[in-house]
Short mmCIF file of all heavy atoms in Angstrom, two decimals:
data_model
loop_
_atom_site.label_atom_id
_atom_site.label_comp_id
_atom_site.label_asym_id
_atom_site.label_seq_id
_atom_site.Cartn_x
_atom_site.Cartn_y
_atom_site.Cartn_z
N ILE V 21 -44.91 48.63 -42.30
CA ILE V 21 -44.22 48.92 -40.92
C ILE V 21 -42.99 49.57 -41.27
O ILE V 21 -42.13 49.00 -42.02
CB ILE V 21 -44.02 47.61 -40.24
CG1 ILE V 21 -45.31 46.89 -40.00
CG2 ILE V 21 -43.29 47.77 -39.01
CD1 ILE V 21 -45.27 45.51 -39.41
N LYS V 22 -42.76 50.70 -40.66
CA LYS V 22 -41.57 51.45 -40.85
C LYS V 22 -40.71 51.39 -39.52
O LYS V 22 -41.27 51.67 -38.50
CB LYS V 22 -41.81 52.91 -41.20
CG LYS V 22 -42.54 53.13 -42.53
CD LYS V 22 -42.70 54.60 -42.87
CE LYS V 22 -43.37 54.79 -44.18
NZ LYS V 22 -43.59 56.21 -44.49
N ILE V 23 -39.43 50.94 -39.71
CA ILE V 23 -38.52 50.94 -38.61
C ILE V 23 -37.87 52.31 -38.44
O ILE V 23 -37.42 52.84 -39.43
CB ILE V 23 -37.48 49.87 -38.78
CG1 ILE V 23 -38.11 48.48 -39.03
CG2 ILE V 23 -36.52 49.86 -37.69
CD1 ILE V 23 -37.10 47.36 -39.32
N PRO V 24 -37.99 52.96 -37.34
CA PRO V 24 -37.49 54.28 -37.10
C PRO V 24 -36.01 54.21 -37.50
O PRO V 24 -35.26 53.29 -37.20
CB PRO V 24 -37.66 54.56 -35.61
CG PRO V 24 -38.82 53.64 -35.23
CD PRO V 24 -38.64 52.39 -36.19
N ALA V 25 -35.54 55.37 -38.00
CA ALA V 25 -34.09 55.54 -38.40
C ALA V 25 -33.25 55.41 -37.29
O ALA V 25 -32.18 54.94 -37.31
CB ALA V 25 -34.01 56.76 -39.19
N ALA V 26 -33.60 55.99 -36.09
CA ALA V 26 -32.90 56.00 -34.95
C ALA V 26 -32.71 54.57 -34.41
O ALA V 26 -31.63 54.28 -33.95
CB ALA V 26 -33.60 56.84 -33.78
N GLU V 27 -33.66 53.70 -34.62
CA GLU V 27 -33.53 52.24 -34.16
C GLU V 27 -32.54 51.52 -35.00
O GLU V 27 -31.75 50.74 -34.53
CB GLU V 27 -34.90 51.63 -34.17
CG GLU V 27 -34.80 50.16 -33.63
CD GLU V 27 -36.16 49.58 -33.59
OE1 GLU V 27 -37.18 50.23 -33.58
OE2 GLU V 27 -36.27 48.28 -33.48
N VAL V 28 -32.64 51.79 -36.31
CA VAL V 28 -31.63 51.18 -37.22
C VAL V 28 -30.26 51.65 -36.94
O VAL V 28 -29.25 50.87 -36.96
CB VAL V 28 -32.03 51.49 -38.76
CG1 VAL V 28 -30.89 51.03 -39.65
CG2 VAL V 28 -33.35 51.01 -39.05
N GLN V 29 -30.08 52.97 -36.72
CA GLN V 29 -28.79 53.45 -36.39
C GLN V 29 -28.31 52.94 -35.07
O GLN V 29 -27.09 52.67 -34.85
CB GLN V 29 -28.94 55.08 -36.22
CG GLN V 29 -27.57 55.76 -35.88
CD GLN V 29 -26.64 55.65 -37.02
OE1 GLN V 29 -27.00 55.31 -38.24
NE2 GLN V 29 -25.35 55.70 -36.87
N GLU V 30 -29.27 52.56 -34.10
CA GLU V 30 -28.81 51.97 -32.82
C GLU V 30 -28.31 50.58 -33.11
O GLU V 30 -27.29 50.13 -32.48
CB GLU V 30 -29.91 51.95 -31.87
CG GLU V 30 -29.72 51.35 -30.53
CD GLU V 30 -28.63 52.21 -29.75
OE1 GLU V 30 -28.55 53.37 -29.88
OE2 GLU V 30 -28.10 51.56 -28.79
N ASP V 31 -28.98 49.83 -33.89
CA ASP V 31 -28.55 48.40 -34.11
C ASP V 31 -27.31 48.35 -35.08
O ASP V 31 -26.49 47.51 -34.75
CB ASP V 31 -29.70 47.53 -34.72
CG ASP V 31 -30.87 47.40 -33.73
OD1 ASP V 31 -30.52 47.49 -32.42
OD2 ASP V 31 -31.95 47.20 -34.21
N PHE V 32 -27.23 49.15 -36.01
CA PHE V 32 -26.12 49.17 -37.01
C PHE V 32 -25.51 50.52 -37.06
O PHE V 32 -25.80 51.39 -37.99
CB PHE V 32 -26.65 48.84 -38.42
CG PHE V 32 -27.23 47.37 -38.48
CD1 PHE V 32 -28.60 47.23 -38.36
CD2 PHE V 32 -26.48 46.32 -38.73
CE1 PHE V 32 -29.10 45.94 -38.40
CE2 PHE V 32 -27.04 45.14 -38.87
CZ PHE V 32 -28.41 44.85 -38.71
N PRO V 33 -24.69 50.95 -36.00
CA PRO V 33 -24.14 52.29 -35.93
C PRO V 33 -23.28 52.67 -36.95
O PRO V 33 -23.06 53.81 -37.24
CB PRO V 33 -23.53 52.27 -34.42
CG PRO V 33 -23.09 50.81 -34.23
CD PRO V 33 -24.27 50.03 -34.82
N SER V 34 -22.63 51.71 -37.67
CA SER V 34 -21.58 52.02 -38.70
C SER V 34 -22.19 51.73 -40.06
O SER V 34 -21.41 51.71 -41.06
CB SER V 34 -20.36 51.15 -38.49
OG SER V 34 -19.79 51.36 -37.27
N GLU V 35 -23.48 51.52 -40.29
CA GLU V 35 -24.11 51.22 -41.47
C GLU V 35 -23.91 52.30 -42.56
O GLU V 35 -24.14 53.54 -42.23
CB GLU V 35 -25.57 50.76 -41.42
CG GLU V 35 -26.18 50.35 -42.66
CD GLU V 35 -27.60 50.00 -42.51
OE1 GLU V 35 -28.24 50.68 -41.65
OE2 GLU V 35 -28.19 49.24 -43.31
N VAL V 36 -23.55 51.96 -43.75
CA VAL V 36 -23.26 52.90 -44.84
C VAL V 36 -24.08 52.45 -46.06
O VAL V 36 -23.90 51.27 -46.48
CB VAL V 36 -21.72 53.19 -45.21
CG1 VAL V 36 -21.59 54.09 -46.30
CG2 VAL V 36 -21.07 53.59 -43.87
N GLU V 37 -24.88 53.35 -46.62
CA GLU V 37 -25.61 52.97 -47.88
C GLU V 37 -24.65 52.91 -49.05
O GLU V 37 -23.89 53.84 -49.21
CB GLU V 37 -26.67 54.03 -48.13
CG GLU V 37 -27.84 54.00 -47.08
CD GLU V 37 -28.67 52.71 -47.20
OE1 GLU V 37 -28.67 52.08 -48.25
OE2 GLU V 37 -29.30 52.42 -46.19
N MET V 38 -24.67 51.66 -49.70
CA MET V 38 -23.75 51.42 -50.79
C MET V 38 -24.23 50.47 -51.77
O MET V 38 -24.89 49.49 -51.33
CB MET V 38 -22.35 51.02 -50.28
CG MET V 38 -21.26 50.99 -51.38
SD MET V 38 -19.64 50.48 -50.57
CE MET V 38 -19.40 51.75 -49.46
N THR V 39 -24.14 50.68 -53.03
CA THR V 39 -24.64 49.67 -54.06
C THR V 39 -23.76 48.49 -54.12
O THR V 39 -22.66 48.47 -53.45
CB THR V 39 -24.66 50.38 -55.47
OG1 THR V 39 -23.25 50.67 -55.81
CG2 THR V 39 -25.48 51.62 -55.36
N LEU V 40 -24.20 47.45 -54.84
CA LEU V 40 -23.46 46.26 -54.94
C LEU V 40 -22.10 46.51 -55.64
O LEU V 40 -21.04 45.95 -55.19
CB LEU V 40 -24.24 45.21 -55.67
CG LEU V 40 -23.51 43.91 -55.99
CD1 LEU V 40 -23.13 43.11 -54.73
CD2 LEU V 40 -24.41 42.90 -56.81
N VAL V 41 -22.14 47.32 -56.69
CA VAL V 41 -20.93 47.73 -57.34
C VAL V 41 -20.05 48.40 -56.37
O VAL V 41 -18.70 48.19 -56.50
CB VAL V 41 -21.21 48.55 -58.63
CG1 VAL V 41 -19.96 48.97 -59.30
CG2 VAL V 41 -22.10 47.76 -59.56
N GLY V 42 -20.56 49.26 -55.60
CA GLY V 42 -19.70 50.01 -54.65
C GLY V 42 -18.96 49.02 -53.66
O GLY V 42 -17.87 49.20 -53.26
N HIS V 43 -19.81 48.09 -53.18
CA HIS V 43 -19.19 47.05 -52.31
C HIS V 43 -18.07 46.22 -52.98
O HIS V 43 -17.05 46.02 -52.40
CB HIS V 43 -20.28 46.04 -51.77
CG HIS V 43 -21.13 46.66 -50.67
ND1 HIS V 43 -20.70 46.94 -49.42
CD2 HIS V 43 -22.37 46.92 -50.65
CE1 HIS V 43 -21.64 47.33 -48.66
NE2 HIS V 43 -22.74 47.35 -49.37
N LEU V 44 -18.36 45.86 -54.15
CA LEU V 44 -17.30 45.16 -54.94
C LEU V 44 -16.05 45.98 -55.16
O LEU V 44 -14.87 45.46 -55.07
CB LEU V 44 -17.84 44.58 -56.20
CG LEU V 44 -19.03 43.54 -56.14
CD1 LEU V 44 -19.45 43.21 -57.54
CD2 LEU V 44 -18.47 42.34 -55.43
N GLU V 45 -16.22 47.24 -55.44
CA GLU V 45 -15.01 48.12 -55.65
C GLU V 45 -14.28 48.33 -54.34
O GLU V 45 -13.03 48.29 -54.38
CB GLU V 45 -15.66 49.47 -56.18
CG GLU V 45 -14.52 50.48 -56.46
CD GLU V 45 -13.70 49.98 -57.65
OE1 GLU V 45 -14.04 49.23 -58.42
OE2 GLU V 45 -12.42 50.48 -57.60
N GLU V 46 -15.08 48.45 -53.20
CA GLU V 46 -14.42 48.66 -52.03
C GLU V 46 -13.60 47.39 -51.58
O GLU V 46 -12.47 47.36 -51.16
CB GLU V 46 -15.36 48.90 -50.87
CG GLU V 46 -14.66 49.10 -49.50
CD GLU V 46 -15.75 49.25 -48.38
OE1 GLU V 46 -16.92 49.09 -48.62
OE2 GLU V 46 -15.27 49.34 -47.16
N LEU V 47 -14.13 46.12 -51.83
CA LEU V 47 -13.53 44.84 -51.60
C LEU V 47 -12.30 44.79 -52.44
O LEU V 47 -11.30 44.33 -51.97
CB LEU V 47 -14.46 43.65 -51.91
CG LEU V 47 -13.98 42.28 -51.71
CD1 LEU V 47 -13.47 42.15 -50.24
CD2 LEU V 47 -14.96 41.25 -52.07
N ARG V 48 -12.37 45.04 -53.63
CA ARG V 48 -11.13 45.02 -54.60
C ARG V 48 -10.01 45.95 -54.06
O ARG V 48 -8.91 45.49 -54.06
CB ARG V 48 -11.60 45.45 -55.96
CG ARG V 48 -10.41 45.25 -56.98
CD ARG V 48 -10.92 45.67 -58.40
NE ARG V 48 -11.09 47.17 -58.43
CZ ARG V 48 -10.09 48.02 -58.72
NH1 ARG V 48 -8.82 47.60 -59.07
NH2 ARG V 48 -10.33 49.28 -58.78
N SER V 49 -10.37 47.19 -53.68
CA SER V 49 -9.40 48.05 -53.19
C SER V 49 -8.78 47.61 -51.89
O SER V 49 -7.54 47.59 -51.69
CB SER V 49 -10.00 49.44 -52.82
OG SER V 49 -10.60 50.06 -54.08
N ARG V 50 -9.56 47.01 -51.07
CA ARG V 50 -8.91 46.42 -49.77
C ARG V 50 -8.03 45.18 -50.00
O ARG V 50 -6.98 44.99 -49.32
CB ARG V 50 -10.02 46.10 -48.79
CG ARG V 50 -10.77 47.46 -48.30
CD ARG V 50 -11.66 47.11 -47.13
NE ARG V 50 -12.42 48.32 -46.78
CZ ARG V 50 -11.96 49.34 -46.00
NH1 ARG V 50 -10.70 49.27 -45.62
NH2 ARG V 50 -12.72 50.35 -45.72
N VAL V 51 -8.48 44.42 -50.90
CA VAL V 51 -7.68 43.16 -51.27
C VAL V 51 -6.37 43.64 -51.87
O VAL V 51 -5.26 42.99 -51.50
CB VAL V 51 -8.46 42.22 -52.20
CG1 VAL V 51 -7.52 41.14 -52.82
CG2 VAL V 51 -9.64 41.63 -51.43
N LEU V 52 -6.43 44.64 -52.79
CA LEU V 52 -5.16 45.06 -53.41
C LEU V 52 -4.27 45.74 -52.42
O LEU V 52 -3.06 45.51 -52.44
CB LEU V 52 -5.50 46.07 -54.51
CG LEU V 52 -6.14 45.55 -55.80
CD1 LEU V 52 -6.59 46.61 -56.75
CD2 LEU V 52 -5.27 44.44 -56.38
N ARG V 53 -4.70 46.42 -51.44
CA ARG V 53 -3.95 47.10 -50.47
C ARG V 53 -3.36 46.04 -49.55
O ARG V 53 -2.12 46.23 -49.13
CB ARG V 53 -4.72 48.12 -49.54
CG ARG V 53 -5.12 49.40 -50.35
CD ARG V 53 -5.40 50.56 -49.47
NE ARG V 53 -6.73 50.21 -48.86
CZ ARG V 53 -7.93 50.67 -49.24
NH1 ARG V 53 -7.97 51.37 -50.39
NH2 ARG V 53 -9.02 50.35 -48.66
N SER V 54 -4.06 44.91 -49.21
CA SER V 54 -3.57 43.92 -48.35
C SER V 54 -2.47 43.18 -49.10
O SER V 54 -1.36 42.85 -48.58
CB SER V 54 -4.68 42.91 -48.11
OG SER V 54 -5.76 43.53 -47.31
N LEU V 55 -2.62 42.94 -50.46
CA LEU V 55 -1.56 42.33 -51.24
C LEU V 55 -0.35 43.15 -51.28
O LEU V 55 0.79 42.62 -51.14
CB LEU V 55 -2.04 41.92 -52.68
CG LEU V 55 -3.11 40.80 -52.71
CD1 LEU V 55 -3.65 40.72 -54.15
CD2 LEU V 55 -2.66 39.49 -52.17
N LEU V 56 -0.54 44.40 -51.38
CA LEU V 56 0.57 45.37 -51.50
C LEU V 56 1.33 45.41 -50.18
O LEU V 56 2.54 45.36 -50.12
CB LEU V 56 0.11 46.75 -51.83
CG LEU V 56 1.19 47.87 -51.93
CD1 LEU V 56 2.17 47.52 -52.96
CD2 LEU V 56 0.55 49.20 -52.04
N ALA V 57 0.67 45.35 -49.03
CA ALA V 57 1.34 45.21 -47.66
C ALA V 57 2.17 43.92 -47.58
O ALA V 57 3.18 44.02 -47.08
CB ALA V 57 0.31 45.32 -46.59
N VAL V 58 1.61 42.85 -48.16
CA VAL V 58 2.35 41.57 -48.06
C VAL V 58 3.57 41.61 -48.97
O VAL V 58 4.65 41.16 -48.60
CB VAL V 58 1.46 40.36 -48.51
CG1 VAL V 58 2.27 39.09 -48.70
CG2 VAL V 58 0.29 40.15 -47.54
N VAL V 59 3.45 42.24 -50.22
CA VAL V 59 4.62 42.38 -51.00
C VAL V 59 5.62 43.36 -50.44
O VAL V 59 6.88 43.02 -50.44
CB VAL V 59 4.19 42.87 -52.35
CG1 VAL V 59 5.36 43.36 -53.26
CG2 VAL V 59 3.21 42.02 -53.13
N VAL V 60 5.27 44.43 -49.86
CA VAL V 60 6.26 45.42 -49.17
C VAL V 60 6.95 44.58 -48.02
O VAL V 60 8.09 44.73 -47.79
CB VAL V 60 5.50 46.62 -48.63
CG1 VAL V 60 6.44 47.41 -47.82
CG2 VAL V 60 5.10 47.38 -49.84
N GLY V 61 6.13 43.74 -47.16
CA GLY V 61 6.73 43.08 -46.13
C GLY V 61 7.72 42.04 -46.53
O GLY V 61 8.77 41.85 -46.08
N ALA V 62 7.38 41.31 -47.63
CA ALA V 62 8.25 40.33 -48.28
C ALA V 62 9.51 41.03 -48.79
O ALA V 62 10.58 40.44 -48.61
CB ALA V 62 7.53 39.58 -49.31
N ALA V 63 9.43 42.12 -49.42
CA ALA V 63 10.56 42.75 -49.98
C ALA V 63 11.50 43.24 -48.82
O ALA V 63 12.68 43.13 -48.98
CB ALA V 63 10.16 44.07 -50.74
N ALA V 64 10.92 43.75 -47.75
CA ALA V 64 11.80 44.12 -46.64
C ALA V 64 12.43 42.88 -45.95
O ALA V 64 13.63 42.89 -45.63
CB ALA V 64 10.93 44.80 -45.58
#
Side-chain angles (χ1 to χ4, degrees):
I21 300 176
K22 295 183 179 181
I23 301 176
E27 184 176 343
V28 175
Q29 183 66 22
E30 177 68 22
D31 290 337
F32 298 91
S34 304
E35 186 179 23
V36 178
E37 292 292 337
M38 189 179 296
T39 64
L40 176 60
V41 176
H43 280 295
L44 294 177
E45 182 66 24
E46 181 189 3
L47 178 61
R48 185 182 71 88
S49 300
R50 295 192 183 279
V51 169
L52 289 177
R53 286 198 293 267
S54 299
L55 291 177
L56 180 61
V58 174
V59 171
V60 171

